[in-house]
Amino acid sequence: MAEDFRIATGGRIDRERPLRFRFNGMQMQGFAGDTLASALLANGVHLVGRSFKYHRPRGIMTAGAEEPNALLQLERGGGCSDPNMRATVVELVDGLDARSQNHWPSLDLDVGAVNDLLSPLLPAGFYYKTFKWPAAFWKGVYEPRIRAAAGLGTAPTGPDPDRYLHRHAHCDVLVVGAGPAGLDAALAAGRAGRRVILVDERPEFGGGWLDRQDVPAELGGRLAELATLEEVTCLTRTTVTGYYDHGYVVALERVTDHLAGPDPDLPRQRLWRIRAGEVVLATGAIERPIVFVGNDRPGVMLASAARAYLNRYAVRPGTRAVVFTNNDTAYVAALDLAAKGVGIACIVDARANPESARVAAARAAGIRVVANAVVTGTEGRRRITQAAVARLNDEGGLAGHLGEPVACDLLLVSGGWNPNVSLFSQSRGRLRFDEHLQAFVPGEAVQATTSVGACAGDFSGFEGDPAPLRPLWAVPADRQSVRAKAFVDFQNDVTAKDLGLALTEGFRSIEHVKRYTTTGMGTDQGKTSNVNALAIVAEKLAKPVTEVGTTTFRPPYVPLTFGAIVGHSRGALFDVVRRTPMHEIAEARGAVFEDVGTWKRAWYFPKPGEDMHAAVARETAAVRRTAGLLDASTLGKIDVQGKDARTFLNRVYTNAWSKLAPGMCRYGLMLGDDGFVMDDGVTACLDDRHFHMTTTTGGAARVLAWLEDLLQTEWPDLEVYLTSVTEEWAAIAINGPRARDVLAPLVEGCDLAADAFPHMAWRPARIAGVAGRIFRISFTGELAFEVNVPADRGAEVLEALLEAGRPHDAGLYGTEAMHVLRAEKGFIIVGQETDGTVTPLDLGMDWIVARKKGDFIGKRGLEREDLRSADRRQLVGLLTAEPERVLEEGAQLTLTPNPAVPARMVGHVTSAYHSPNLGRSIALALVEGGHGRHGQTLHVPMPDGPSIAALVTKPLFIDPEGSRLHG
Amino acid sequence: MLLIDCPHCGPRAEIEFRCGGEAHIARPVAPEGTTDAEWRDYLYLRRSPKGLHFERWNHIHGCQRWFNLARDTVSDEILAIYPMGSPPPDLGRA
Ligand SMILES: [Zn+2]
């Protein structure tokens, strides 16, 4: 396809670098420096998509980020594509493959356009009204159809192959926008030696200057000077998407999207997270469309956009244009177009008596100016072919048509200019309505924010003045047909009539009207529609705009990909992974790992042919028969030192610590001040002012933070120092009747005999030649030792222990076997038997609450009446009537089998396993008044069968006398 | 994202900190002497003002020190940062 609309000379394209691209399968050509939109227009393509709701033909309306219509899907191969890309900002790249969205079977012939004919059925709020009944229809019929018919682009099916980076930056001054005002601000700050970041969304700096017929010569000088300023960082292709608290600004840099064969080391996009001392906004202004019937037809374009295509890209957007304006700026566009051979049929100016140098220049150039008039409608199937023009009367109503409609293939519109206040509003700055401009301008700033140039309402840098203008939001309709549509929000297909309907139905708040009609809710965030909608609502309510309200702009300013937001945080880098010093040993022995917090813990060790059940059964039985080894390194470990360490322990644990002698350990339960169990663990006394505390694996960080909080804020008088030593130590638990036999040959300097080294003692020792500690503590009810050695020696000590264990058939067991073993003994796991609402009494652990000692955290909380009630949920054991049946953790318990719904639920299962040592299933549960229910049968209703009956027992299934512990 | 001036480390991004809720809620010196209502107030009742709020912050991913901070919950402006144990500063506003 030939570039029939390219002008032979001029523009900022590189004619030495022709680029080939495809649009809906058609091969086309453009140049480096084109956007996809300018290249399409050069090829004479205006119709680029179908609208969201009515499937109306739509063209290219703008030349910038505000584009509501020209959203295309870019195919990148391999299931990878980018939906909803604005053709007006996509840089042309060789081989680009674009296609239209939201049409079927083809762009020219779209079946969904029947929606346009059915439009009386699709009024404002149609989502809420039409599809309400019957409810089942929503899921089966309406929703799939709406989704199929009214989508935007198609989500890619393959994983995103690209890399995205985050970059943190700090600066004194961030300047957003590198038009003339932004360049001046950056230069001023840079000359003063301040650290400056200057960003602009376009590929080159210059802003509005680049859209002029002759780019001002000063641009080159300013860019040259900027390059000499070392503290000024210049970023092109970088859009600020969010302006948050305290000068925190997020900007998206498109690094390689414009390159055909980018360096694979470069990220596709870079998300800048900038903390700026002050922010200068130089974001320009966005021209306003005017709302009139048929204002969405391809070929209807903002006047400034046509000028940009003409001057910057050397493209004629049409051959014969009608210009519809209420201010002077469109005259500049008309004159530029006329100079490049585009016929100007007429300028329709809503102002009663436009007089200015621009108007005079247009008249002098022979352009017909029709004053006090408006465009009332357009015709043309896939492109505008004519525009109807009517005079206005004194009240602003229509005074009759001016002859026959004017033939044209281009209609340029200017309804005035909106300073681009999005970022100012995001920064929480308040907006003010400027009567002269009939637009919102920045009011009082809340942060260190300065707006300069057009975004501040200062249009002195413009050729042509946006004011005085005749306020004109919606042209009165000259046809009352239900199908005559005057669009306010192009992307979401919201018409002026929809706004009227919302008001008729009683909506008053602009925020409600917006949501009900979906005005401004599209991916363009209403950049071209919000102010028009507000003013139309104001007009219909006969109120000043300021009384109707303003709209709030929210991040992101333009859509950004999830990839950019996520950055490196995906896959293996999504979260921290912590591995113990013995991880490789477990891995080499075929361990299956489970995630416990951020830790990888060996879950079980299947031998060839074993499933999880078989492996756990073998590991569990081996511990009670001979011995087993567990990597316990993940337990939280806190070093507690200081002269008040003992006092501190007395205050944070429920039991007494005053008499714990050096060389001994004690199990402790930690509560919150509400009386509920928070954590547990064993603490060893190293000496009178030095303790080694352990916590649960998952609670380690939380407990340390909590204890620090208490020391710093409640008890600053206590001299206690806390240090996390979790990762200093490798811990190996040896459990089972032969634990001593396994360990003894490797130990020097410590007598392991029962009388010399009793239960709940600890001793310094050398284990396999490594200096460490041995704790005689048990989480299985068996004779047990826990060896602690420095982390970097853990692997060698474990290897030695495994070697020593071989004659005893003592191998590694995983966390699942550990869970079964402790459940057989009824030992709780915080976070499994407890959920933040469970007291020690509920757990049957009254023995650990030393009510006679002084105050401790949780003591007062436990005195609350409800926490002393006898019908609280209490820990019990459960034995199913069918011994093989393992209950589901979390299952609810009822008093009767197969109860009618809703049933009274009297408890829930907290842990359930098959116990190979008992040859049956066991479970722990929290049951209302459970301590008094031993011997009763409860029932577990199941979704797919009869209830399961279970006998309530003590939560202790094996070795009730505890004789094994002392082996 | 707030920029918080840690008294020990200087200005750092909010993600390095953890907010510990309303400040100046002292744990009763003699909990056993409190009524249920007093204990409830201490445990659960917190202000959620529009405007000036005194709150506890911890530089958890830095020096791990706690401090107090006065913040305007509407503008998010940080009006004062002061040590644990100090009374709230008089900022001349309600
Ligand atoms: Zn700090």
Side-chain angles (χ1 to χ4, degrees):
Chain A
M1 203 161 162
E3 285 195 298
D4 294 337
F5 295 86
R6 186 77 71 181
I7 301 165
T9 58
R12 301 189 74 79
I13 49 168
D14 182 354
R15 290 169 202 265
E16 301 298 310
R17 290 174 56 209
L19 304 174
R20 286 155 60 82
F21 71 101
R22 281 148 60 89
F23 173 65
N24 287 338
M26 268 180 299
Q27 200 61 242
M28 297 185 183
Q29 192 203 290
F31 290 110
D34 262 326
T35 61
L36 177 52
S38 68
L40 285 168
L41 290 172
N43 285 274
V45 176
H46 277 253
L47 169 58
V48 293
R50 292 272 173 174
S51 71
F52 179 65
K53 199 159 107 184
Y54 302 122
H55 288 245
R56 286 168 67 100
R58 287 285 167 81
I60 296 161
M61 200 175 102
T62 76
E66 67 272 28
E67 177 62 33
N69 280 341
L71 305 183
L72 298 177
Q73 184 112 15
L74 302 189
E75 295 300 334
R76 307 175 65 211
C80 178
S81 76
D82 292 323
N84 308 329
M85 301 300 284
R86 287 154 295 148
T88 51
V89 298
V90 171
E91 287 181 61
L92 196 66
V93 61
D94 202 47
L96 186 126
D97 185 3
R99 63 179 171 80
S100 301
Q101 302 177 159
N102 202 28
H103 62 76
W104 186 86
S106 78
L107 181 59
D108 280 344
L109 174 72
D110 177 57
V111 172
V114 71
N115 279 1
D116 199 13
L117 305 174
L118 296 177
S119 60
L121 300 177
L122 302 172
F126 82 106
Y127 295 101
Y128 309 108
K129 293 172 186 157
T130 315
F131 304 110
K132 258 162 104 174
W133 305 280
F137 254 53
W138 173 254
K139 216 171 147 195
V141 180
Y142 296 135
E143 198 200 1
R145 282 200 193 158
I146 292 171
R147 280 189 190 280
L152 287 167
T154 315
T157 52
D160 190 334
D162 292 304
R163 285 191 315 125
Y164 301 82
L165 296 187
H166 286 189
R167 179 114 156 218
H168 294 259
H170 299 260
C171 63
D172 299 320
V173 183
L174 170 69
V175 181
V176 185
L183 287 171
D184 282 350
L187 280 170
R191 285 178 198 133
R194 308 188 71 189
R195 202 194 307 175
V196 177
I197 297 177
L198 171 62
V199 305
D200 192 280
E201 61 183 349
R202 288 176 173 158
E204 57 176 328
F205 285 176
W209 275 355
L210 303 177
D211 294 344
R212 294 192 181 187
Q213 205 167 43
D214 298 301
V215 174
E218 306 101 280
L219 178 59
R222 291 186 198 192
L223 296 180
E225 189 187 347
L226 269 182
T228 66
L229 297 171
E230 278 183 18
E231 293 292 329
V232 178
T233 303
C234 294
L235 298 172
T236 55
R237 301 186 169 90
T238 304
T239 309
V240 170
T241 61
Y243 186 167
Y244 306 90
D245 293 311
H246 298 186
Y248 183 63
V249 173
V250 171
L252 181 75
E253 181 187 8
R254 292 168 297 278
V255 181
T256 63
D257 282 347
H258 63 290
L259 302 172
D263 180 344
D265 285 343
L266 287 174
R268 181 184 179 202
Q269 297 176 348
R270 195 178 276 133
L271 197 72
W272 288 75
R273 305 168 71 161
I274 302 168
R275 187 72 74 166
E278 28 178 313
V279 176
V280 176
L281 296 174
T283 49
I286 293 175
E287 198 168 25
R288 275 198 300 256
I290 299 172
V291 180
F292 56 92
V293 171
N295 64 342
D296 64 327
R297 218 173 287 283
V300 180
M301 191 181 273
L302 293 176
S304 58
R307 187 177 179 228
Y309 288 119
L310 186 84
N311 291 332
R312 200 184 328 157
Y313 304 103
V315 172
R316 270 185 211 101
T319 54
R320 183 176 155 86
V322 169
V323 180
F324 178 21
T325 186
N326 63 352
N327 68 88
D328 264 8
T329 57
Y331 284 78
V332 181
L335 284 163
D336 282 3
L337 286 160
K340 291 280 168 65
V342 178
I344 305 296
C346 59
I347 297 177
V348 179
D349 195 327
R351 292 175 294 183
N353 195 16
E355 289 303 338
S356 71
R358 302 284 164 196
V359 178
R363 287 198 170 114
I367 296 173
R368 182 177 160 224
V369 175
V370 187
N372 202 26
V374 291
V375 170
T376 58
T378 65
E379 293 297 335
R381 260 192 77 210
R382 297 187 189 100
R383 171 102 180 248
I384 186 169
T385 55
Q386 61 181 44
V389 179
R391 279 276 183 227
L392 289 174
N393 61 26
D394 291 344
E395 288 79 44
L398 297 183
H401 277 117
L402 270 171
E404 290 301 302
V406 185
C408 61
D409 62 358
L410 188 63
L411 174 55
L412 307 187
V413 180
S414 179
W417 287 78
N418 290 327
N420 190 356
V421 294
S422 290
L423 296 177
F424 181 82
S425 172
Q426 284 186 25
S427 78
R428 305 200 204 193
R430 277 171 277 280
L431 302 178
R432 179 175 66 76
F433 192 75
D434 183 301
E435 293 291 340
H436 183 62
L437 287 170
Q438 288 289 308
F440 287 98
V441 295
E444 191 190 335
V446 169
Q447 301 193 36
T449 314
T450 310
S451 296
V452 295
C455 77
D458 171 8
F459 286 87
S460 57
F462 263 47
E463 293 176 306
D465 208 327
L469 75 170
R470 175 174 189 162
L472 178 64
W473 313 102
V475 172
D478 63 344
R479 288 183 292 165
Q480 292 310 315
S481 158
V482 288
R483 293 198 179 90
K485 292 194 184 66
F487 285 91
V488 180
D489 183 320
F490 295 84
Q491 192 178 104
N492 276 352
D493 267 356
V494 182
T495 64
K497 226 178 285 175
D498 291 329
L499 294 174
L501 184 62
L503 296 175
T504 305
E505 294 185 5
F507 290 91
R508 285 296 176 271
S509 155
I510 187 66
E511 294 298 330
H512 292 160
V513 171
K514 275 183 67 179
R515 279 159 186 75
Y516 189 58
T517 59
T518 73
T519 306
M521 314 279 278
T523 61
D524 64 339
Q525 290 220 28
K527 290 182 178 63
T528 53
S529 62
N530 280 339
V531 174
N532 280 347
L534 194 62
I536 289 169
V537 167
E539 217 163 57
K540 288 183 194 284
L541 293 174
K543 280 183 179 177
V545 168
T546 42
E547 274 184 36
V548 174
T550 66
T551 56
T552 309
F553 296 85
R554 295 187 178 83
Y557 173 66
V558 293
L560 65 173
T561 58
F562 282 112
I565 297 168
V566 167
H568 266 157
S569 301
R570 53 189 281 200
L573 298 178
F574 178 69
D575 201 359
V576 174
V577 175
R578 299 168 87 189
R579 297 184 179 84
T580 75
M582 287 90 86
H583 185 88
E584 279 80 18
I585 296 176
E587 211 166 32
R589 284 165 190 259
V592 175
F593 291 89
E594 69 166 333
D595 292 332
V596 181
T598 48
W599 287 100
K600 293 285 176 199
R601 292 200 77 178
W603 194 12
Y604 58 98
F605 294 83
K607 294 206 159 153
E610 279 186 343
D611 60 6
M612 178 175 175
H613 182 80
V616 172
R618 173 180 47 73
E619 292 168 19
T620 311
V623 171
R624 297 223 187 273
R625 190 178 62 247
T626 57
L629 303 172
L630 175 80
D631 179 353
S633 307
T634 62
L635 282 188
K637 305 171 201 72
I638 300 171
D639 186 81
V640 184
Q641 297 195 43
K643 72 176 171 57
D644 299 314
R646 211 179 269 282
T647 305
F648 179 64
L649 294 177
N650 267 325
R651 292 189 191 176
V652 299
Y653 281 122
T654 60
N655 47 352
W657 295 78
S658 306
K659 292 185 182 137
L660 185 71
M664 296 305 290
C665 319
R666 184 160 290 170
Y667 173 77
L669 209 50
M670 219 176 256
L671 310 184
D673 245 336
D674 49 14
F676 298 130
V677 174
M678 198 173 83
D679 206 78
D680 69 346
V682 170
T683 294
C685 180
L686 304 182
D687 67 43
D688 207 34
R689 27 195 307 168
H690 192 185
F691 294 80
H692 177 84
M693 173 189 286
T694 65
T695 71
T696 57
T697 296
R702 189 175 64 241
V703 168
L704 179 64
W706 159 239
L707 298 181
E708 268 294 337
D709 187 348
L710 289 169
L711 281 174
Q712 288 184 37
T713 68
E714 292 295 345
W715 306 321
D717 52 313
L718 293 188
E719 189 188 307
V720 179
Y721 305 96
L722 305 177
T723 310
S724 169
V725 293
T726 301
E727 298 190 358
E728 308 295 314
W729 297 97
I732 306 156
I734 308 145
N735 282 258
R738 296 210 201 146
R740 189 179 284 118
D741 306 326
V742 173
L743 184 58
L746 299 177
V747 172
E748 300 163 71
C750 170
D751 182 356
L752 297 181
D755 47 350
F757 194 164
H759 180 55
M760 295 311 276
W762 77 271
R763 299 287 180 262
R766 295 184 80 81
I767 308 100
V770 179
R773 298 169 183 160
I774 303 174
F775 302 80
R776 199 174 151 195
I777 53 178
S778 175
F779 196 40
T780 59
E782 298 292 327
L783 170 67
F785 297 91
E786 189 185 296
V787 169
N788 280 204
V789 292
D792 60 343
R793 310 297 298 273
E796 66 184 91
V797 172
L798 179 59
E799 294 282 14
L801 282 166
L802 284 167
E803 191 57 35
R806 199 191 301 266
H808 305 283
D809 194 24
L812 284 165
Y813 66 96
T815 50
E816 186 66 17
M818 173 193 85
H819 276 91
V820 177
L821 290 160
R822 64 91 203 179
E824 289 173 345
K825 287 292 294 179
F827 296 151
I828 61 151
I829 287 186
V830 171
Q832 185 148 352
E833 271 64 56
T834 72
D835 60 5
T837 66
V838 177
T839 70
L841 284 62
D842 299 339
L843 297 169
M845 294 173 75
D846 330 31
W847 51 269
I848 204 169
V849 180
R851 292 180 190 279
K852 296 227 168 64
K853 74 168 179 176
D855 185 38
F856 59 87
I857 300 285
K859 187 179 188 184
R860 174 64 183 86
L862 286 175
E863 299 304 316
R864 291 186 291 163
E865 197 180 327
D866 276 3
L867 271 56
R868 301 158 66 90
S869 154
D871 61 0
R872 287 183 56 78
R873 289 193 173 191
Q874 295 163 335
L875 187 71
V876 298
L878 290 178
L879 292 173
T880 50
E882 299 168 66
E884 287 308 306
R885 193 76 188 255
V886 179
L887 295 174
E888 284 185 34
E889 290 174 358
Q892 296 293 320
L893 297 164
T894 57
L895 295 169
T896 54
N898 310 312
V901 176
R904 187 160 105 81
M905 294 174 284
V906 295
H908 63 274
V909 177
T910 59
S911 296
Y913 310 95
H914 172 76
S915 162
N917 294 308
L918 296 159
R920 58 156 301 128
S921 83
I922 56 170
L924 299 173
L926 288 167
V927 173
E928 272 179 35
H931 295 159
R933 287 191 195 267
H934 295 176
Q936 288 184 16
T937 294
L938 293 177
H939 304 271
V940 181
M942 298 301 288
D944 51 2
S947 290
I948 303 167
L951 180 71
V952 179
T953 70
K954 274 176 70 172
L956 172 59
F957 303 101
I958 211 164
D959 186 27
E961 304 77 30
S963 56
R964 303 178 70 98
L965 192 60
H966 302 286
Chain B
M1 184 165 57
L2 308 182
L3 184 68
I4 298 173
D5 198 358
C6 172
H8 311 285
C9 307
R12 300 297 176 94
E14 183 184 343
I15 47 167
E16 294 186 17
F17 296 82
R18 211 185 69 191
C19 182
E22 186 179 349
H24 308 295
I25 308 263
R27 189 171 186 272
V29 181
E32 287 175 81
T34 58
T35 64
D36 277 357
E38 285 164 344
W39 195 249
R40 173 206 62 202
D41 290 357
Y42 156 67
L43 276 184
Y44 299 120
L45 293 194
R46 298 293 182 269
R47 281 159 26 88
S48 183
K50 181 177 180 181
L52 180 61
H53 191 227
F54 299 106
E55 50 202 25
R56 299 164 0 110
W57 284 79
N58 180 223
H59 193 188
I60 188 84
H61 298 297
C63 61
Q64 302 192 3
R65 299 287 293 275
W66 284 92
F67 54 89
N68 288 321
L69 180 154
R71 181 175 63 99
D72 184 321
T73 59
V74 177
S75 68
D76 267 338
E77 189 186 352
I78 295 173
L79 303 160
I81 288 177
Y82 56 102
M84 279 292 159
S86 302
D90 180 7
L91 296 164
R93 24 197 295 184

